[in-house]
Amino acid sequence: MFHIACHGGSASSPSHEDGPRRACVVGLEKLSLTTNVLDAVIAATRWLEDDERFNAGTGSNLRLDGVTIQMDASCMTSAGDFGAVAAIERVRHPVAVAQRVLDTPHVLLVGEGATDFARRGGFEDYDPTTAGAKERLEQARAMTDRVGPWSRSDLEQAWNFDTPLREALGGDTVGSVAWDGELFAGALSSGGTTTVLRGRVGDVPLPGCGLYVGESGAVATTGDGEDIARSLLACRAYLELERSGSPPRVVDWALEELPKSVDVGIVVVDHTGFAGGARDGMAWHGQSATGPA
């Protein structure tokens, strides 16, 4: 059996589940053509990067300067391969650049070096700024200008826009994990958050933080990046998968592992199937299909 699970980020609306569902179909179609599990999760994640409803690729968030969009992406396989880019700019599919890093001796390229690497690899200049990104920026600016710096809890209590705060500040990491009957693979992509410094790197490109893949399965997390990175959540969730052998149990474990104030979501795939979930709900989908005989 092939198994794949995709998510649109912990801040994504569950009503947008059609996006991850279609990404799963794209990934399974790729698997049926190539039987390459890494290519499958890259294809699925690229689909999500092109969906403006999610915070990755074309759906990425502008920073407070109103100009800068910096993106992170990573990919990993159960064969031990890991490639990532951080704070990359002006590319359409950061996750595809992360996959290309696997062709180098490195595991992570950052900033201008990552962007230059993409150009030399044939990735064309692309401006991911959208009308939605501009609207989210203006809403964030309105709150900042009116009352100054906020904690997340204070923002949630005072928020008075029609658009929910989580949507106004932009979604989170998108991700895909899959099993092709022999190997596991996972991929993540994120457009970051508006209210961060230029050059900020979240959990996505850091091994074992947002993504971890091993012989027992694949884990992709999403949520508050600094908290996820500090806790090495993906790696620890994978170790929990090794112990329990149950994706649903791992999801329950992850959602209880961090403080209640932390936004967190997760999808998990192992040999038997998949599971996913988030504290506040998110768009995600899992699917299985019969592999080649």
Side-chain angles (χ1 to χ4, degrees), residues 193-205:
T193 59
T194 295
T195 53
V196 295
L197 296 176
R198 187 177 188 186
R200 176 261 189 182
V201 175
D203 59 294
V204 167

Side-chain angles (χ1 to χ4, degrees), residues 16 53 55 91 96 105 108 115 122 125 132 142 148 153 174 182 187 190 211 214 217 232 240 253 263 286 293:
H16 296 158
R53 297 173 297 176
N55 178 23
V91 295
L108 174 63
T115 303
D125 181 70
S153 61
V174 304
E182 294 184 5
S190 176
L211 178 68
L232 292 172
E240 188 68 20
W253 173 89
D263 192 18

Side-chain angles (χ1 to χ4, degrees), residues 48-234:
L48 293 170
E49 287 177 331
D50 284 337
D51 191 327
E52 294 183 19
R53 297 173 297 176
F54 305 118
N55 178 23
T58 303
S60 296
N61 287 319
L62 280 161
R63 302 303 182 265
L64 282 174
D65 65 355
V67 177
T68 307
I69 290 179
Q70 294 190 314
M71 302 165 284
D72 299 341
S74 64
C75 61
M76 187 174 185
T77 75
S78 52
D81 303 312
F82 185 92
V85 291
I88 193 171
E89 299 186 37
R90 300 188 68 88
V91 295
R92 181 175 177 179
H93 295 122
V95 74
V97 185
Q99 183 182 22
R100 195 70 62 85
V101 174
L102 296 176
D103 297 330
T104 77
H106 309 311
V107 297
L108 174 63
L109 296 177
V110 303
E112 292 183 4
T115 303
D116 289 344
F117 173 77
R119 295 287 177 269
R120 291 179 178 273
F123 294 89
E124 297 180 354
D125 181 70
Y126 178 78
D127 183 0
T129 306
T130 64
K134 293 178 180 178
E135 181 179 354
R136 292 191 299 271
L137 171 63
E138 290 310 310
Q139 289 182 325
R141 279 176 169 173
M143 286 299 291
T144 301
D145 292 342
R146 185 160 59 86
V147 283
W150 287 84
S151 69
R152 181 65 177 260
S153 61
D154 286 341
L155 272 173
E156 290 175 344
Q157 291 179 10
W159 190 253
N160 61 357
F161 291 97
D162 292 335
T163 304
L165 173 63
R166 295 169 74 240
E167 294 183 27
L169 294 181
D172 212 322
T173 307
V174 304
S176 307
V177 288
W179 158 250
D180 69 357
E182 294 184 5
L183 293 174
F184 292 97
L188 297 178
S189 185
S190 176
T193 59
T194 295
T195 53
V196 295
L197 296 176
R198 187 177 188 186
R200 176 261 189 182
V201 175
D203 59 294
V204 167
L206 304 178
C209 295
L211 178 68
Y212 196 82
V213 182
E215 294 181 356
S216 296
V219 174
T221 68
T222 173
D224 293 336
E226 274 69 16
D227 293 280
I228 290 173
R230 292 187 188 104
S231 67
L232 292 172
L233 185 61

